[in-house]
């Protein structure tokens, strides 16, 4: 149930989205060269309480990895997650960027 989530890339609004029932979580981004800047994170409290935060961020990181581009976390929530999971996702950072 909770693991079988599917994120959507809303290219028009430049954000990844996760819908669960009537709730929607978002991670806004900006693309520049071969980098994606994750600029803003928002998730309804109800989804946070159900444990979707980690699942959503991991799904976005996997999408970035599949696109073979670098990730620059400018959102405090995304940077914090990356710091906590540094070993797994360090390869997504551009050369010279440390979190």
């Amino acid at each position: 149930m909770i693991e079988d989530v599917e994120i959507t890339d809303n290219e028009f609004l430049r954000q990844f989205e996760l819908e669960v029932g009537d709730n929607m979580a978002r991670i806004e981004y900006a693309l520049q060269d071969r980098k994606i800047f994750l600029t803003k994170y928002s998730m309804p409290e109800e989804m946070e309480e159900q444990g979707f935060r980690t699942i959503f961020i991991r799904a976005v990181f996997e999408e970035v990895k599949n696109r073979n581009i670098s990730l620059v976390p400018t959102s405090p929530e995304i940077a914090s997650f990356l710091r906590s999971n540094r070993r797994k996702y360090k390869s997504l950072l551009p050369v010279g960027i440390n979190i």
Side-chain angles (χ1 to χ4, degrees):
M1 173 193 108
I2 198 167
E3 297 296 331
D4 297 329
V5 299
E6 187 174 321
I7 63 169
T8 305
D9 180 1
N10 183 332
E11 292 179 17
F12 180 73
L13 294 176
R14 293 186 312 268
Q15 65 187 16
F16 292 105
E17 302 171 341
L18 171 63
E19 285 188 75
V20 177
D22 293 336
N23 295 313
M24 182 185 293
R26 298 170 182 82
I27 295 178
E28 296 177 15
Y29 65 82
L31 287 170
Q32 183 179 11
D33 299 321
R34 300 284 305 146
K35 297 180 189 83
I36 187 166
F37 293 78
L38 301 180
T39 58
K40 185 177 179 188
Y41 166 88
S42 65
M43 178 174 281
E45 188 175 321
E46 184 179 332
M47 289 177 72
E48 291 267 2
E49 291 169 356
Q50 293 175 14
F52 282 102
R53 177 188 199 129
T54 299
I55 293 165
F56 182 37
I57 295 173
R58 280 187 180 153
V60 170
F61 281 19
E62 287 302 315
E63 179 65 25
V64 170
K65 185 177 181 181
N66 291 339
R67 293 181 185 189
N68 199 27
I69 57 178
S70 297
L71 179 147
V72 181
T74 59
S75 158
E77 297 88 354
I78 303 297
S80 174
F81 179 85
L82 187 60
R83 267 191 297 280
S84 299
N85 297 276
R86 186 179 336 230
R87 289 184 186 168
K88 184 171 184 175
Y89 297 112
K90 186 169 82 171
S91 63
L92 294 177
L93 292 172
V95 174
I97 300 287
N98 292 314
I99 298 295

